[in-house]
Amino acid sequence: MKILIVFYSAYGHTYRMAEAVAEGAREVEGAEVILRRVPETLPEDLLKQIGAFDAAKVFEHIPICTVDELAEADAIIFGTPTRFGNMAGQMRQFLDGTGGLWAKGALVGKIGSVFTSTATQHGGQESTILSFHTTLLHHGMIIVGLPYTFTEQNTLEEIMGGSPYGAATIAGNDGSRMPSEKELAGARFQGKYVAEIAAKLTK
């Protein structure tokens, strides 16, 4: 049973969430968890200007995902930061290269799940994940979110990311806030939950 986690991260927030998702998925017996990132599309000069060039060195050891790897997985959990209420352009460009998989129905019946990161509490966490689902549904995937059995969603103790649609973190306008323990717990829960459902479907 292969659980593929595919993410894009500019400053490391989505990468940290991806690690937590992987931790949760590995708790399920029989799960082979694979972590991949999508290619960067911004030029090096611009990445340096926005302070993302050095930040990316933290996760540059993660291999770049190929389109064919999607077809080999039983479940795919995507992670993307929000860009104006939608997925990042890097993730969009990667997914735009999956037309061949769509033509063959290669992802039909596989589990698809999404987590995200936003700068602010109301920066588009839900819209990003829900609009991402549209692509997964066109591929015939089975959507899995973050159910309320992850009870931390009901907390009023702190401002935090996450919704029934998927785990999320709030980075802050300057990117200084890294995922909190409760946000990471949501990511772990989602990873484990997806892997548990994948295990049932692959039996």
Side-chain angles (χ1 to χ4, degrees), residues 1 18 33 36 44 74 76 80 107-108 122-123 140 146 165 167 170 172 180 183 188-189 198:
M1 178 182 65
V33 181
R36 293 287 186 266
E44 185 175 306
D74 297 296
I76 309 167
T80 177
L107 303 185
V108 173
H122 303 292
L146 181 66
Y165 314 116
I170 302 168
S180 71
E183 290 170 336
R188 292 187 196 99
F189 190 104

PDB file of all heavy atoms in Angstrom, residues 1 18 33 36 44 74 76 80 107-108 122-123 140 146 165 167 170 172 180 183 188-189 198:
ATOM      1  N   MET A   1       0.850  -1.193   0.000  1.00  0.00           N
ATOM      2  CA  MET A   1       0.000   0.000   0.000  1.00  0.00           C
ATOM      3  C   MET A   1       0.882   1.237   0.000  1.00  0.00           C
ATOM      4  O   MET A   1       1.627   1.488   0.956  1.00  0.00           O
ATOM      5  CB  MET A   1      -0.898  -0.004   1.231  1.00  0.00           C
ATOM      6  CG  MET A   1      -1.799   1.214   1.352  1.00  0.00           C
ATOM      7  SD  MET A   1      -2.780   1.168   2.839  1.00  0.00           S
ATOM      8  CE  MET A   1      -1.540   1.293   4.119  1.00  0.00           C
ATOM      9  N   ALA A  18       3.892  18.436   5.784  1.00  0.00           N
ATOM     10  CA  ALA A  18       4.034  17.195   5.011  1.00  0.00           C
ATOM     11  C   ALA A  18       4.754  16.127   5.827  1.00  0.00           C
ATOM     12  O   ALA A  18       4.404  14.946   5.780  1.00  0.00           O
ATOM     13  CB  ALA A  18       4.777  17.467   3.711  1.00  0.00           C
ATOM     14  N   VAL A  33       5.272   4.898   2.817  1.00  0.00           N
ATOM     15  CA  VAL A  33       5.037   6.332   2.711  1.00  0.00           C
ATOM     16  C   VAL A  33       6.177   6.982   1.923  1.00  0.00           C
ATOM     17  O   VAL A  33       7.358   6.819   2.255  1.00  0.00           O
ATOM     18  CB  VAL A  33       4.910   6.977   4.105  1.00  0.00           C
ATOM     19  CG1 VAL A  33       4.642   8.467   3.982  1.00  0.00           C
ATOM     20  CG2 VAL A  33       3.793   6.297   4.900  1.00  0.00           C
ATOM     21  N   ARG A  36       7.424  13.511  -1.665  1.00  0.00           N
ATOM     22  CA  ARG A  36       7.935  14.119  -2.886  1.00  0.00           C
ATOM     23  C   ARG A  36       7.531  15.596  -2.928  1.00  0.00           C
ATOM     24  O   ARG A  36       6.540  16.003  -2.328  1.00  0.00           O
ATOM     25  CB  ARG A  36       7.369  13.420  -4.123  1.00  0.00           C
ATOM     26  CG  ARG A  36       7.842  11.985  -4.303  1.00  0.00           C
ATOM     27  CD  ARG A  36       9.281  11.930  -4.736  1.00  0.00           C
ATOM     28  NE  ARG A  36       9.706  10.562  -5.042  1.00  0.00           N
ATOM     29  CZ  ARG A  36      10.296   9.754  -4.176  1.00  0.00           C
ATOM     30  NH1 ARG A  36      10.518  10.165  -2.931  1.00  0.00           N
ATOM     31  NH2 ARG A  36      10.670   8.536  -4.537  1.00  0.00           N
ATOM     32  N   GLU A  44      15.632  31.865  -9.939  1.00  0.00           N
ATOM     33  CA  GLU A  44      16.462  31.953  -8.739  1.00  0.00           C
ATOM     34  C   GLU A  44      16.555  33.375  -8.193  1.00  0.00           C
ATOM     35  O   GLU A  44      16.507  33.587  -6.983  1.00  0.00           O
ATOM     36  CB  GLU A  44      17.857  31.418  -9.068  1.00  0.00           C
ATOM     37  CG  GLU A  44      18.786  31.345  -7.875  1.00  0.00           C
ATOM     38  CD  GLU A  44      20.111  30.702  -8.217  1.00  0.00           C
ATOM     39  OE1 GLU A  44      20.108  29.580  -8.756  1.00  0.00           O
ATOM     40  OE2 GLU A  44      21.161  31.340  -7.948  1.00  0.00           O
ATOM     41  N   ASP A  74      -1.562   4.317  -4.022  1.00  0.00           N
ATOM     42  CA  ASP A  74      -2.942   3.971  -3.666  1.00  0.00           C
ATOM     43  C   ASP A  74      -3.676   5.182  -3.098  1.00  0.00           C
ATOM     44  O   ASP A  74      -4.896   5.277  -3.200  1.00  0.00           O
ATOM     45  CB  ASP A  74      -2.951   2.832  -2.637  1.00  0.00           C
ATOM     46  CG  ASP A  74      -2.341   1.562  -3.194  1.00  0.00           C
ATOM     47  OD1 ASP A  74      -2.905   1.005  -4.155  1.00  0.00           O
ATOM     48  OD2 ASP A  74      -1.278   1.141  -2.688  1.00  0.00           O
ATOM     49  N   ILE A  76      -2.950   9.619  -2.491  1.00  0.00           N
ATOM     50  CA  ILE A  76      -2.070  10.768  -2.697  1.00  0.00           C
ATOM     51  C   ILE A  76      -2.565  11.911  -1.816  1.00  0.00           C
ATOM     52  O   ILE A  76      -3.732  12.308  -1.903  1.00  0.00           O
ATOM     53  CB  ILE A  76      -2.049  11.225  -4.165  1.00  0.00           C
ATOM     54  CG1 ILE A  76      -1.774  10.039  -5.098  1.00  0.00           C
ATOM     55  CG2 ILE A  76      -0.988  12.305  -4.363  1.00  0.00           C
ATOM     56  CD1 ILE A  76      -2.040  10.345  -6.555  1.00  0.00           C
ATOM     57  N   THR A  80      -0.134  22.228  -0.321  1.00  0.00           N
ATOM     58  CA  THR A  80       0.203  23.447  -1.040  1.00  0.00           C
ATOM     59  C   THR A  80      -0.076  24.674  -0.182  1.00  0.00           C
ATOM     60  O   THR A  80      -1.079  24.708   0.540  1.00  0.00           O
ATOM     61  CB  THR A  80      -0.599  23.570  -2.355  1.00  0.00           C
ATOM     62  OG1 THR A  80      -0.280  24.812  -3.000  1.00  0.00           O
ATOM     63  CG2 THR A  80      -2.099  23.513  -2.101  1.00  0.00           C
ATOM     64  N   LEU A 107      -5.931   7.528 -12.235  1.00  0.00           N
ATOM     65  CA  LEU A 107      -6.118   7.896 -10.830  1.00  0.00           C
ATOM     66  C   LEU A 107      -7.526   7.601 -10.327  1.00  0.00           C
ATOM     67  O   LEU A 107      -7.839   7.874  -9.161  1.00  0.00           O
ATOM     68  CB  LEU A 107      -5.798   9.387 -10.625  1.00  0.00           C
ATOM     69  CG  LEU A 107      -4.403   9.855 -11.048  1.00  0.00           C
ATOM     70  CD1 LEU A 107      -4.202  11.317 -10.661  1.00  0.00           C
ATOM     71  CD2 LEU A 107      -3.320   8.983 -10.436  1.00  0.00           C
ATOM     72  N   VAL A 108      -8.354   7.038 -11.173  1.00  0.00           N
ATOM     73  CA  VAL A 108      -9.734   6.734 -10.771  1.00  0.00           C
ATOM     74  C   VAL A 108      -9.741   5.722  -9.627  1.00  0.00           C
ATOM     75  O   VAL A 108      -9.070   4.688  -9.694  1.00  0.00           O
ATOM     76  CB  VAL A 108     -10.536   6.184 -11.965  1.00  0.00           C
ATOM     77  CG1 VAL A 108     -11.919   5.702 -11.502  1.00  0.00           C
ATOM     78  CG2 VAL A 108     -10.680   7.241 -13.050  1.00  0.00           C
ATOM     79  N   HIS A 122      -7.812  33.866   7.919  1.00  0.00           N
ATOM     80  CA  HIS A 122      -8.856  33.867   6.898  1.00  0.00           C
ATOM     81  C   HIS A 122      -8.258  34.041   5.506  1.00  0.00           C
ATOM     82  O   HIS A 122      -8.850  34.663   4.629  1.00  0.00           O
ATOM     83  CB  HIS A 122      -9.873  34.977   7.192  1.00  0.00           C
ATOM     84  CG  HIS A 122     -10.484  34.860   8.553  1.00  0.00           C
ATOM     85  ND1 HIS A 122     -11.332  33.831   8.901  1.00  0.00           N
ATOM     86  CD2 HIS A 122     -10.350  35.634   9.662  1.00  0.00           C
ATOM     87  CE1 HIS A 122     -11.710  33.980  10.171  1.00  0.00           C
ATOM     88  NE2 HIS A 122     -11.121  35.058  10.650  1.00  0.00           N
ATOM     89  N   GLY A 123      -7.083  33.454   5.306  1.00  0.00           N
ATOM     90  CA  GLY A 123      -6.348  33.644   4.061  1.00  0.00           C
ATOM     91  C   GLY A 123      -6.690  32.679   2.944  1.00  0.00           C
ATOM     92  O   GLY A 123      -6.008  32.657   1.930  1.00  0.00           O
ATOM     93  N   GLY A 140     -11.354  11.407 -10.923  1.00  0.00           N
ATOM     94  CA  GLY A 140     -12.100  10.272 -10.391  1.00  0.00           C
ATOM     95  C   GLY A 140     -11.611   9.783  -9.053  1.00  0.00           C
ATOM     96  O   GLY A 140     -11.863   8.628  -8.671  1.00  0.00           O
ATOM     97  N   LEU A 146     -10.493  15.897   6.840  1.00  0.00           N
ATOM     98  CA  LEU A 146     -10.078  15.790   8.242  1.00  0.00           C
ATOM     99  C   LEU A 146     -11.342  15.806   9.098  1.00  0.00           C
ATOM    100  O   LEU A 146     -11.866  16.873   9.414  1.00  0.00           O
ATOM    101  CB  LEU A 146      -9.158  16.961   8.614  1.00  0.00           C
ATOM    102  CG  LEU A 146      -8.612  16.995  10.042  1.00  0.00           C
ATOM    103  CD1 LEU A 146      -7.663  15.832  10.283  1.00  0.00           C
ATOM    104  CD2 LEU A 146      -7.902  18.327  10.310  1.00  0.00           C
ATOM    105  N   TYR A 165     -12.095  19.983   5.754  1.00  0.00           N
ATOM    106  CA  TYR A 165     -11.589  19.732   4.407  1.00  0.00           C
ATOM    107  C   TYR A 165     -10.134  19.287   4.420  1.00  0.00           C
ATOM    108  O   TYR A 165      -9.663  18.666   3.460  1.00  0.00           O
ATOM    109  CB  TYR A 165     -11.751  20.995   3.557  1.00  0.00           C
ATOM    110  CG  TYR A 165     -13.116  21.617   3.724  1.00  0.00           C
ATOM    111  CD1 TYR A 165     -13.268  22.880   4.280  1.00  0.00           C
ATOM    112  CD2 TYR A 165     -14.268  20.904   3.370  1.00  0.00           C
ATOM    113  CE1 TYR A 165     -14.523  23.437   4.462  1.00  0.00           C
ATOM    114  CE2 TYR A 165     -15.534  21.453   3.558  1.00  0.00           C
ATOM    115  CZ  TYR A 165     -15.658  22.715   4.107  1.00  0.00           C
ATOM    116  OH  TYR A 165     -16.901  23.261   4.300  1.00  0.00           O
ATOM    117  N   ALA A 167      -6.103  19.460   6.994  1.00  0.00           N
ATOM    118  CA  ALA A 167      -5.235  20.123   7.961  1.00  0.00           C
ATOM    119  C   ALA A 167      -4.642  21.385   7.343  1.00  0.00           C
ATOM    120  O   ALA A 167      -4.497  21.494   6.126  1.00  0.00           O
ATOM    121  CB  ALA A 167      -4.119  19.170   8.395  1.00  0.00           C
ATOM    122  N   ILE A 170      -1.119  28.296   9.964  1.00  0.00           N
ATOM    123  CA  ILE A 170      -1.103  29.734   9.736  1.00  0.00           C
ATOM    124  C   ILE A 170       0.336  30.213   9.913  1.00  0.00           C
ATOM    125  O   ILE A 170       0.924  30.037  10.984  1.00  0.00           O
ATOM    126  CB  ILE A 170      -2.028  30.467  10.717  1.00  0.00           C
ATOM    127  CG1 ILE A 170      -3.464  29.942  10.589  1.00  0.00           C
ATOM    128  CG2 ILE A 170      -1.988  31.970  10.474  1.00  0.00           C
ATOM    129  CD1 ILE A 170      -4.390  30.386  11.712  1.00  0.00           C
ATOM    130  N   GLY A 172       1.578  33.409   9.350  1.00  0.00           N
ATOM    131  CA  GLY A 172       1.782  34.813   9.683  1.00  0.00           C
ATOM    132  C   GLY A 172       2.200  35.597   8.449  1.00  0.00           C
ATOM    133  O   GLY A 172       2.778  35.047   7.511  1.00  0.00           O
ATOM    134  N   SER A 180       1.970  24.942  14.714  1.00  0.00           N
ATOM    135  CA  SER A 180       1.863  24.646  16.138  1.00  0.00           C
ATOM    136  C   SER A 180       1.700  23.145  16.334  1.00  0.00           C
ATOM    137  O   SER A 180       1.446  22.396  15.390  1.00  0.00           O
ATOM    138  CB  SER A 180       0.658  25.381  16.738  1.00  0.00           C
ATOM    139  OG  SER A 180      -0.554  24.789  16.282  1.00  0.00           O
ATOM    140  N   GLU A 183      -1.670  21.980  15.149  1.00  0.00           N
ATOM    141  CA  GLU A 183      -1.757  21.910  13.689  1.00  0.00           C
ATOM    142  C   GLU A 183      -1.022  20.687  13.164  1.00  0.00           C
ATOM    143  O   GLU A 183      -1.495  20.004  12.249  1.00  0.00           O
ATOM    144  CB  GLU A 183      -1.198  23.192  13.077  1.00  0.00           C
ATOM    145  CG  GLU A 183      -2.084  24.404  13.326  1.00  0.00           C
ATOM    146  CD  GLU A 183      -1.415  25.703  12.935  1.00  0.00           C
ATOM    147  OE1 GLU A 183      -0.163  25.757  12.909  1.00  0.00           O
ATOM    148  OE2 GLU A 183      -2.149  26.675  12.670  1.00  0.00           O
ATOM    149  N   ARG A 188      -0.911  14.895  11.268  1.00  0.00           N
ATOM    150  CA  ARG A 188      -0.666  13.476  11.567  1.00  0.00           C
ATOM    151  C   ARG A 188      -1.961  12.675  11.502  1.00  0.00           C
ATOM    152  O   ARG A 188      -2.002  11.567  10.971  1.00  0.00           O
ATOM    153  CB  ARG A 188      -0.035  13.324  12.961  1.00  0.00           C
ATOM    154  CG  ARG A 188       1.371  13.871  13.069  1.00  0.00           C
ATOM    155  CD  ARG A 188       1.983  13.535  14.419  1.00  0.00           C
ATOM    156  NE  ARG A 188       3.157  14.353  14.664  1.00  0.00           N
ATOM    157  CZ  ARG A 188       3.161  15.454  15.412  1.00  0.00           C
ATOM    158  NH1 ARG A 188       2.036  15.860  16.019  1.00  0.00           N
ATOM    159  NH2 ARG A 188       4.265  16.154  15.581  1.00  0.00           N
ATOM    160  N   PHE A 189      -3.024  13.248  12.067  1.00  0.00           N
ATOM    161  CA  PHE A 189      -4.326  12.575  12.050  1.00  0.00           C
ATOM    162  C   PHE A 189      -4.774  12.334  10.614  1.00  0.00           C
ATOM    163  O   PHE A 189      -5.238  11.239  10.269  1.00  0.00           O
ATOM    164  CB  PHE A 189      -5.357  13.434  12.794  1.00  0.00           C
ATOM    165  CG  PHE A 189      -6.665  12.743  13.053  1.00  0.00           C
ATOM    166  CD1 PHE A 189      -6.982  12.265  14.311  1.00  0.00           C
ATOM    167  CD2 PHE A 189      -7.605  12.568  12.035  1.00  0.00           C
ATOM    168  CE1 PHE A 189      -8.196  11.631  14.554  1.00  0.00           C
ATOM    169  CE2 PHE A 189      -8.809  11.947  12.260  1.00  0.00           C
ATOM    170  CZ  PHE A 189      -9.110  11.471  13.518  1.00  0.00           C
ATOM    171  N   ALA A 198      -7.083   3.761   2.917  1.00  0.00           N
ATOM    172  CA  ALA A 198      -6.386   3.112   1.805  1.00  0.00           C
ATOM    173  C   ALA A 198      -6.189   1.626   2.086  1.00  0.00           C
ATOM    174  O   ALA A 198      -6.312   0.788   1.187  1.00  0.00           O
ATOM    175  CB  ALA A 198      -5.041   3.786   1.561  1.00  0.00           C
TER     176      ALA A 198
END
